[in-house]
């Protein structure tokens, strides 16, 4: 048994959530501890005018945690997720047209998970951004470890800041990413350097500009809410 995933929908809030499991056995703990890096194996958001060779060079620079990457993109997991989303969003499955009892075409896609599942959700959200470039993807994670090196962090952040296609939702980004961290949880600080977190931390509970962000771990780039 590999990485576990569940796809759920909400007709009330109009979303499709891809929920990735966290660490619950020794096999997945080994993925947590595997800090060897590898190129990101998910689909990349295309740049205008780039060749396949240039895209391959881009991919080589996007070094991520090899264990997390393997958990999402090996053994057909992401292919299965893509097939289910194609069924829900486009009424197709493995290239054949299907009839759905409900229309999910305008539902927002959310990737979410806790701990290892959160790291998997970060990688999956970037890949889903490339699969659905005209939609606004959301990632919501809890206690998520750091997922990659500098170039990966820059690429992921570019998905958050650089998207302006008018066919997307009213938000002007390709991706939103929210990471919830308990103040004394060690997992979100791991792996350590040279891994990076993919965003600025918004620290709500302890500290603001006047208090000097009391309680915020040293070295975190923070901003009050």
């Amino acid at each position: 048994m590999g990485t576990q995933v569940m796809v759920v929908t909400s007709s009330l809030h109009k979303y499709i959530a891809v929920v990735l499991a966290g660490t619950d056995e020794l096999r997945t703990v080994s993925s947590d501890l595997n800090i060897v890096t590898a190129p990101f194996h998910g689909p990349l958001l295309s740049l205008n005018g780039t060749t396949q060779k240039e895209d391959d060079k881009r991919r080589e620079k996007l070094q991520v945690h090899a264990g997390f990457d393997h958990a999402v993109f090996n053994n057909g997991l992401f292919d299965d997720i893509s097939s289910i989303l194609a069924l829900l969003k486009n009424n197709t499955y493995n290239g054949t047209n299907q009839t759905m009892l409900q229309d999910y075409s305008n539902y927002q896609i959310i990737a979410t998970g806790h701990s290892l599942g959160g790291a998997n959700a970060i990688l999956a959200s970037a890949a889903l951004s490339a699969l659905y470039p005209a939609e606004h993807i959301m990632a919501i994670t809890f206690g998520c470890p750091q997922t990659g090196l500098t170039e990966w962090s820059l690429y992921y952040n570019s998905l958050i800041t650089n998207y302006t296609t008018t066919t997307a939702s009213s938000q002007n980004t390709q991706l939103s990413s929210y990471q919830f961290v308990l103040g004394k949880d060690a997992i979100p600080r791991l792996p350590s350097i040279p891994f990076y977190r993919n965003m600025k931390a918004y620290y709500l509970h302890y500290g603001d500009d006047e208090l000097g962000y009391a309680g915020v771990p040293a070295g975190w780039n923070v901003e009050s809410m």
Side-chain angles (χ1 to χ4, degrees):
M1 218 168 82
T3 303
Q4 296 179 335
V5 62
M6 176 173 62
V7 178
V8 298
T9 65
S10 170
S11 57
L12 177 62
H13 299 290
K14 305 292 184 184
Y15 67 71
I16 303 168
V18 179
V19 185
L20 293 123
T23 303
D24 58 3
E25 54 179 271
L26 289 177
R27 181 164 47 254
T28 51
V29 169
S30 67
S31 295
D32 283 341
L33 298 179
N34 178 9
I35 59 172
V36 175
T37 62
F40 174 65
H41 283 93
L44 297 179
L45 191 67
S46 297
L47 297 178
N48 292 333
T50 58
T51 64
Q52 182 61 52
K53 186 176 181 180
E54 289 170 332
D55 282 342
D56 290 342
K57 287 184 178 179
R58 287 174 63 211
R59 186 182 300 280
E60 282 297 322
K61 293 180 179 179
L62 302 180
Q63 293 289 313
V64 298
H65 186 293
F68 302 159
D69 187 85
H70 184 276
V72 177
F73 300 112
N74 277 35
N75 303 317
L77 178 75
F78 189 77
D79 291 337
D80 290 342
I81 293 171
S82 301
S83 294
I84 293 171
L85 290 176
L87 175 62
L88 295 173
K89 299 285 288 184
N90 306 320
N91 293 336
T92 61
Y93 189 77
N94 290 336
T96 61
N97 292 331
Q98 305 289 328
T99 301
M100 299 293 291
L101 297 178
Q102 185 168 339
D103 181 12
Y104 299 97
S105 60
N106 65 339
Y107 280 34
Q108 182 174 32
I109 299 173
I110 299 173
T112 186
H114 167 255
S115 190
L116 170 61
N120 294 342
I122 291 294
L123 300 189
S125 66
L128 291 171
S129 294
L131 285 186
Y132 294 93
E135 298 198 24
H136 183 88
I137 309 299
M138 182 179 294
I140 304 173
T141 67
F142 304 86
C144 173
Q146 302 183 111
T147 53
L149 306 188
T150 304
E151 290 296 328
W152 163 253
S153 180
L154 293 173
Y155 172 73
Y156 192 83
N157 287 341
S158 75
L159 299 178
I160 297 174
T161 59
N162 291 342
Y163 187 68
T164 57
T165 298
T166 56
T167 55
S169 70
S170 58
Q171 303 176 74
N172 65 348
T173 58
Q174 170 66 16
L175 176 69
S176 292
S177 188
Y178 302 93
Q179 298 187 22
F180 293 86
V181 177
L182 182 66
K184 294 184 179 180
D185 187 359
I187 296 301
R189 283 79 171 172
L190 299 174
S192 56
I193 296 173
F195 284 78
Y196 288 88
R197 182 157 302 283
N198 292 110
M199 63 193 63
K200 182 179 290 185
Y202 288 83
Y203 206 88
L204 175 63
H205 296 291
Y206 301 102
D208 55 24
D209 286 322
E210 293 181 357
L211 296 177
Y213 301 112
V216 179
W220 281 43
N221 186 16
V222 297
E223 184 173 304
S224 60
M225 297 183 70

